[in-house]
Amino acid sequence: MYAKYRLPPFLLVVCKDKATASWASEPIRVGRGFHTSMVVFPLVLGPGILPVITEPDEAARDLGVAVFSALAYASDPGLTAILDALASGVADDAGKSGSGKVDRVDWAEIVEVGLGEGPGRDYWRQLMATYTPNFPGSNSIVEESWLEGRAKGKAEDILRILEVRGVETSDSVRDRVTACTDLDVLGTWLDRSLTVEHAEKLFVGE
């Protein structure tokens, strides 16, 4: 990044609890015992580091900070007030023309993915449906990419487990596993890959 674009890169870590934030803020030393070739100092954003933003005007002034605040306090009991302020800020930005509108959608999708499964994400989607009816919600580009990555990872794990266990895997089985994007189905196959004697038995009952 620095050599090609002359942009100073940094490692950003967003945490939902103070213990993880404290651990993640420790310097990362790269090298061998006799020589450290590089030390990385992560920039950690988490509870107690970022402000709690519950005022729409404050959120609208800097959507980036408001977004990371929402992610950092995703486990906080006061999350709904934070999301209310952020959604209002996003709505205020919706009427702006040019790149601001694109940034608004990007930030909204990052919040959707970053909150993870649970009531926080559900509440955020409800807010977005109220403030910005055209918001993609589920199956947004960011979320689809994230889900595709998880599916690909699980598929690779299944095939790797079968390989390590010495279970022969035909091309048809390999193609079916890698083509699947349903995380629940892949989870079932992953469990079965630990014990099946034949790869085709991954699909028993389907």
Side-chain angles (χ1 to χ4, degrees):
M1 289 274 299
Y2 182 76
K4 187 172 183 178
Y5 302 107
R6 288 297 184 264
L7 296 174
F10 60 89
L11 174 61
L12 174 66
V13 183
V14 182
C15 303
K16 299 179 182 180
D17 62 88
K18 292 183 178 180
T20 305
S22 177
W23 166 81
S25 63
E26 292 293 324
I28 301 172
R29 301 184 182 278
V30 181
R32 302 296 296 271
F34 61 88
H35 177 71
T36 299
S37 58
M38 180 173 62
V39 181
V40 180
F41 296 90
L43 173 59
V44 180
L45 304 180
I49 300 172
L50 285 169
V52 177
I53 299 176
T54 56
E55 295 297 328
D57 291 344
E58 186 179 359
R61 280 196 297 270
D62 195 329
L63 282 179
V65 172
V67 164
F68 284 116
S69 175
L71 299 184
Y73 292 97
S75 300
D76 191 278
L79 176 62
T80 54
I82 296 172
L83 294 180
D84 284 338
L86 178 57
S88 180
V90 168
D92 287 343
D93 194 60
K96 298 178 182 178
S97 60
S99 61
K101 188 173 182 180
V102 176
D103 292 341
R104 171 186 60 82
V105 175
D106 290 344
W107 284 128
E109 290 189 353
I110 289 171
V111 174
E112 182 181 5
V113 174
L115 289 173
E117 294 293 343
R121 175 186 281 185
D122 295 339
Y123 187 69
W124 177 249
R125 286 177 172 172
Q126 293 174 14
L127 289 173
M128 289 295 95
T130 301
Y131 283 105
T132 56
N134 294 325
F135 180 67
S138 59
N139 299 320
S140 63
I141 294 174
V142 174
E143 186 176 12
E144 283 182 354
S145 299
W146 178 69
L147 292 173
E148 286 174 4
R150 288 192 61 192
K152 181 179 179 181
K154 279 196 174 184
E156 291 174 348
D157 289 343
I158 292 168
L159 297 175
R160 177 60 177 165
I161 289 171
L162 293 175
E163 179 184 355
V164 171
R165 294 185 57 236
V167 178
E168 185 175 349
T169 306
S170 64
D171 289 341
S172 61
V173 169
R174 186 176 296 274
D175 291 343
R176 183 171 176 179
V177 171
T178 55
C180 183
T181 57
D182 189 315
L183 293 177
D184 291 335
V185 172
L186 287 168
T188 299
W189 293 351
L190 182 63
D191 293 340
R192 291 176 180 172
S193 69
L194 298 170
T195 57
V196 294
E197 297 179 359
H198 304 284
E200 288 74 10
K201 290 188 177 180
L202 291 174
F203 318 122
V204 171
E206 299 176 11

